[in-house]
């Protein structure tokens, strides 16, 4: 049946936000203010669609991957810098800590992307085979 074939893609940890509208010239006509609001929220919806697509599991959640990897890169540079201010020993410990976090986050990101793509392919194959799963 068609209902068994329809599956929505999984979107995990998508950072959806909404920004306020700042209107600098509040003494406008009603249609001008409505036009400004409509334009703002249409652009917001289009931006959020890209965020949702970037967080979709069927393409490996590239936004989550970049976030995880970015956290590791930040620690790689931040931890030694904090240690450098204290002492040479803390600098060495900071290098070790930063490197460990960078490698750990890199492995976590790569395996996370691989897992999400593999799960999506498994679900897609189950839909094609019309398996009840």
């Amino acid at each position: 049946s068609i209902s068994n074939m329809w599956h929505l893609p999984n979107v995990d940890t998508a950072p959806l936000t909404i920004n306020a509208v700042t209107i600098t010239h509040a003494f406008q006509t009603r249609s001008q203010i409505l036009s400004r609001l409509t334009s703002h929220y249409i652009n917001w919806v289009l931006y959020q669609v890209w965020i949702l697509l970037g967080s979709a599991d069927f393409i490996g959640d590239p936004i989550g991957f970049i976030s995880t990897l970015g956290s590791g890169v930040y620690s790689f540079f931040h931890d030694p810098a904090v240690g450098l201010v204290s002492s040479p020993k803390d600098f060495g410990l900071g290098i070790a800590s930063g490197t460990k976090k960078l490698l750990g986050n890199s492995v976590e990101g790569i395996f996370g992307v691989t897992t999400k793509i593999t799960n999506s392919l498994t679900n897609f194959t189950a839909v094609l085979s019309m398996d009840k799963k």
Side-chain angles (χ1 to χ4, degrees), residues 45-98:
V45 167
L46 293 175
Y47 177 74
Q48 295 304 316
V49 166
W50 284 111
I51 295 293
L52 284 173
L53 286 175
S55 298
D57 284 356
F58 70 91
I59 56 174
D61 185 16
I63 290 179
F65 173 70
I66 290 170
S67 175
T68 302
L69 189 61
S71 176
V73 169
Y74 174 80
S75 294
F76 181 72
F77 290 104
H78 180 261
D79 291 359
V82 169
L84 184 62
V85 175
S86 298
S87 69
K89 178 184 175 187
D90 288 340
F91 175 67
L93 293 173
I95 289 175
S97 170

